Amino acid sequence: MSNLRLGVMGGTFDPIHFGHLIAAEAVAKSYELDSVIFVPTGNSWQKNSLASAQHRLAMTQLAISYFPDFQVSSVDVERTGDTYTVDTLRDLKGQYPTAQFFFITGADSLAGIGTWKDSEELWNLAHFVGVTRPGHKLEVPKSPAGAVTLLEIPALAISSSEIRAKVVSGESLEGLVPIKVLEYMDKHNLYRGNND
Ligand code: ATP
Ligand code: MG
């Protein structure tokens, strides 16, 4: 298939939540994407995940089962070494040589993009879409003209860090993560301090 328009949403997804899903959905609609590929990190160079890559991959799969146009890729989980977006995009381009990629980032991640590995090459691999995230200013980072566009989306003040903290304190996660993800977290005792 040629001319596929594919969104890419990279993240630790520790765990995945409605903030990620709504952001992807808003960009998919606005940019007329055929699909959005969620790519959980393997080892992050920026932070350590609490849940294992396999758990984060499984939760991402469960979360996107509600969205027929979303899919999950394990390219970052399978690659050894730290995860860098430039490698994610190179791998996906290998799988979909003629597709146009739209890399989706929240305002917080977008601000740091200049520090990412091979940032100059990133602009050739995908168009970057920055979306609103409560508590962060949404602005175009230093980048070639037209490489980044911004999209205002319904603001969801949800973060994985907040969710992990709520598990520890026993607070309700209603409205923060899809029910299947909640059931998976319960079943595997995730974020209660005994993760594998
Ligand atoms: P943590 O608190 O562990 O950092 P997180 O909620 O920030 O988790 P990540 O997996 O770090 O989730 O984020 C992956 C991507 O999703 C990033 O581009 C991030 O900016 C974006 N994102 C996460 N939550 C939101 C949200 N509520 N609204 C918009 N974008 C979001
Ligand atoms: Mg984050």
Side-chain angles (χ1 to χ4, degrees), residues 11-16 38-44 47-61 72-81 83 184 190-191 195-196:
T12 319
F13 303 137
D14 192 22
I16 191 162
F38 283 72
V39 193
T41 55
N43 292 316
S44 171
K47 62 180 182 189
N48 292 319
S49 64
L50 271 183
S52 69
Q54 295 315 323
H55 281 319
R56 292 181 292 107
L57 192 60
M59 289 189 282
T60 306
Q61 247 140 10
V72 180
S73 168
S74 56
V75 282
D76 286 350
V77 167
E78 281 160 19
R79 196 182 319 101
T80 52
T83 292
Y184 185 95
L190 297 186
Y191 309 116
N195 296 290
D196 49 29

Side-chain angles (χ1 to χ4, degrees), residues 118-130:
D118 298 342
S119 64
E120 291 311 310
E121 190 188 337
L122 284 176
W123 315 122
N124 301 324
L125 290 168
H127 178 75
F128 284 75
V129 183

Side-chain angles (χ1 to χ4, degrees), residues 12-13 17 20 47 106 108-109 133 156 158-161 164:
T12 319
F13 303 137
H17 54 68
H20 301 125
K47 62 180 182 189
D108 57 320
S109 313
R133 184 163 193 190
L156 285 190
I158 306 177
S159 70
S160 303
S161 321
R164 295 191 300 269

Side-chain angles (χ1 to χ4, degrees), residues 9-11 26-27 44 51 61-62 80-81 92 96 111-113 117 120 122 139 153-154 164 166-167 181 193-194:
M9 181 106 198
V27 176
S44 171
Q61 247 140 10
L62 290 171
T80 52
L92 292 176
Y96 303 95
I113 203 165
K117 184 185 161 205
E120 291 311 310
L122 284 176
E139 56 189 1
I153 63 165
R164 295 191 300 269
K166 281 184 189 289
V167 172
V181 174
N194 54 350

Side-chain angles (χ1 to χ4, degrees), residues 86-162:
V86 71
D87 297 322
T88 313
L89 290 171
R90 282 178 190 141
D91 286 357
L92 292 176
K93 211 168 185 66
Q95 289 175 14
Y96 303 95
T98 59
Q100 237 185 309
F101 290 102
F102 298 79
F103 194 86
I104 305 164
T105 55
D108 57 320
S109 313
L110 187 66
I113 203 165
T115 69
W116 294 6
K117 184 185 161 205
D118 298 342
S119 64
E120 291 311 310
E121 190 188 337
L122 284 176
W123 315 122
N124 301 324
L125 290 168
H127 178 75
F128 284 75
V129 183
V131 301
T132 330
R133 184 163 193 190
H136 301 273
K137 194 166 170 218
L138 183 62
E139 56 189 1
V140 174
K142 192 171 163 283
S143 50
V148 180
T149 49
L150 305 179
L151 182 69
E152 295 274 343
I153 63 165
L156 285 190
I158 306 177
S159 70
S160 303
S161 321
E162 175 204 356

